[in-house]
Amino acid sequence: MNYVLDPSYIDPAMDSRSATFENPTGGRGMGGTAHGGRKGAPSRILNPGERVVLADLEGPGTIRHIWMAFPPATPELLRALTLEVFYDGAALPSVSVPALDFFGLPHGRPAEHYSALFSTNEGHGFNAFVPMPFRRAVRVEFINASPQPTVLYYEIDFTLEPSLPDHAGYLHAAFRRENPTVQRRDFVIAEGLRGPGRFLGCVVGVRVIDDGMWYGEGEVKIYRDGDRAFPTICGTGLEDYVGSGWGLGRHQGPFGGAPLYVAPGNDGPGPNPNPNYVGFYRWHLADPVMFQRELRVTIQQIGAIMFLAGQEAQLAAYEANHPVAGAGWVRPGSGILAWGIVERIDDYCATAFVYCRDPQPVPRLDVAAATRDISRLGFEKPDPLEPLIPLLLGFP
């Protein structure tokens, strides 16, 4: 990491390359050859179901930066755009996720954001600066799994090196969703990869479907190397895991933030108790989470609610379907009948990022499950470019 921390650092053995549609192997002197080198072929129109190879590289080396841009579209269409990565000639991918989720944005909704590893510049340019080492080879593929054509621009910047250190891990990324969750069964963010490894972090999305007052009391739990009933690392609440407190509104930071916050009448920072959609990220860079053999990361679906004096019938109806969590109901008086934290059901998704010493397959993305129940809501405004770009690019 000397080249990152010290910009004067020079390593002549590091061979800097770039892969594009014109040069997917990143060959020396092979970039920008179309049209005599005068603005070549930076993009391609992808038909429904089309899969393209973005990079097919021989190692050892490290992908350093991925940039992509594709036209604004409805959430269902955008979330069907899929990214897969195969290491060292493997037949199954070690990365298989919706492209937007990979860049930090769940629910098929672009939003401007900036973090230490990922950014969406101006809400249109998707960037990943997460290192992706590979020893023998790596192949990056993009799939338009939507029912409509799209256009893709991209650039993958990488370095070739004489060798990789033994501690260099392969990046794995897997998508999971429970729509809806099961009451009292914690949603799984990450599991199934063997160590040694490192949990880099996650992008989590919640579609709030319970009618309680607040959805985010659930604790993030990290089970390592033999933990069973209880984890080694346990957080204190959903917004606390992101580094915020007393609710979760739109914000962003180097290691944690919530760039996606969809709620009527809320276009700025600050939370409403129940947004329609929320997306947050957490990167364990300064606080590394290592494991020797196994890893399991979960988050509880626990919320909070309050009832005022005179709402005895509403409290009884809510209690019938919401078991209490924690210490149970608190009855402070002074006009408050009861308040407490309760078990609830919502729609959770997550993309987990895990480095492992050995490349391993992850579950293949289920596009139908990923795109279900994320339609644009009546108060959401489409991007002004959405109706124009298809006309300019010549596809319906």
Side-chain angles (χ1 to χ4, degrees):
M1 292 295 290
N2 288 336
Y3 67 92
V4 175
L5 300 176
D6 180 1
S8 70
Y9 177 83
I10 297 173
D11 182 358
M14 187 178 286
D15 187 358
S16 301
R17 304 288 189 97
S18 180
T20 64
F21 274 126
E22 290 185 302
N23 188 18
T25 63
R28 278 285 188 93
M30 297 297 292
T33 59
H35 305 302
R38 307 301 299 172
K39 187 64 175 181
S43 65
R44 274 185 57 179
I45 293 175
L46 305 182
N47 293 318
E50 186 173 357
R51 177 187 289 264
V52 293
V53 175
L54 306 186
D56 192 359
L57 315 175
E58 294 184 3
T62 305
I63 293 175
R64 306 286 181 178
H65 171 228
I66 300 175
W67 166 82
M68 291 185 183
F70 23 81
T74 63
E76 297 95 329
L77 295 179
L78 286 177
R79 202 179 212 183
L81 305 180
T82 304
L83 183 68
E84 292 195 329
V85 179
F86 304 77
Y87 295 115
D88 296 347
L92 296 174
S94 296
V95 173
S96 183
V97 295
L100 261 67
D101 292 70
F102 180 82
F103 291 108
L105 294 165
H107 309 305
R109 287 163 164 83
E112 183 176 15
H113 87 288
Y114 308 94
S115 78
L117 294 177
F118 298 88
S119 69
T120 305
N121 295 7
E122 298 189 82
H124 293 141
F126 300 92
N127 294 271
F129 292 94
V130 57
M132 300 175 66
F134 54 98
R135 285 182 168 81
R136 289 197 292 110
V138 67
R139 189 173 75 257
V140 182
E141 298 186 357
F142 187 92
I143 307 98
N144 176 16
S146 81
Q148 293 186 16
T150 190
V151 65
L152 173 66
Y153 295 75
Y154 83 95
E155 181 176 333
I156 296 177
D157 302 310
F158 64 99
T159 56
L160 300 178
E161 299 132 56
S163 64
L164 295 179
D166 290 342
H167 63 253
Y170 292 82
L171 181 70
H172 295 68
F175 176 85
R176 290 175 173 84
R177 186 181 185 188
E178 282 191 15
N179 176 25
T181 55
V182 176
Q183 200 171 71
R184 297 184 63 86
R185 187 180 76 188
D186 297 353
F187 173 71
V188 175
I189 294 173
E191 70 174 355
L193 293 170
R194 68 179 183 274
R198 173 181 180 176
F199 177 56
L200 178 62
C202 55
V203 173
V204 178
V206 183
R207 181 175 68 96
V208 178
I209 56 179
D210 189 280
D211 59 359
M213 184 177 70
W214 158 242
Y215 66 93
E217 288 297 325
E219 298 171 342
V220 173
K221 299 177 183 290
I222 302 178
Y223 301 79
R224 303 169 50 248
D225 298 333
D227 292 344
R228 291 297 178 257
F230 298 100
T232 295
I233 300 172
C234 181
T236 60
L238 181 151
E239 82 274 37
D240 309 347
Y241 178 63
V242 184
S244 189
W246 302 105
L248 185 66
R250 184 184 294 119
H251 70 285
Q252 52 195 306
F255 308 130
L260 184 67
Y261 194 90
V262 179
N266 188 278
D267 295 324
N272 289 333
N274 273 339
N276 297 94
Y277 296 94
V278 65
F280 61 87
Y281 61 88
R282 174 68 159 87
W283 309 129
H284 292 275
L285 290 174
D287 55 338
V289 178
M290 306 293 182
F291 62 99
Q292 290 294 321
R293 302 183 306 277
E294 58 189 3
L295 169 80
R296 189 168 188 262
V297 183
T298 66
I299 184 171
Q300 299 166 321
Q301 286 69 67
I302 295 176
I305 194 166
M306 179 189 303
F307 294 92
L308 303 179
Q311 293 185 314
E312 288 78 5
Q314 292 93 322
L315 171 59
Y318 198 79
E319 281 184 301
N321 297 307
H322 296 81
V324 293
W329 293 108
V330 178
R331 303 178 187 274
S334 300
I336 299 176
L337 175 64
W339 73 268
I341 58 174
V342 295
E343 306 284 350
R344 52 185 282 155
I345 293 171
D346 287 295
D347 173 5
Y348 272 66
C349 64
T351 294
F353 297 81
V354 182
Y355 282 107
C356 296
R357 183 71 54 82
D358 301 316
Q360 301 159 54
V362 298
R364 227 56 191 267
L365 176 66
D366 183 338
V367 174
T371 56
R372 189 173 298 125
D373 299 324
I374 61 168
S375 296
R376 185 177 286 154
L377 303 175
F379 62 86
E380 292 185 275
K381 298 177 182 178
D383 189 298
L385 293 174
E386 189 172 321
L388 298 177
I389 288 181
L391 297 175
L392 296 174
L393 295 173
F395 63 84

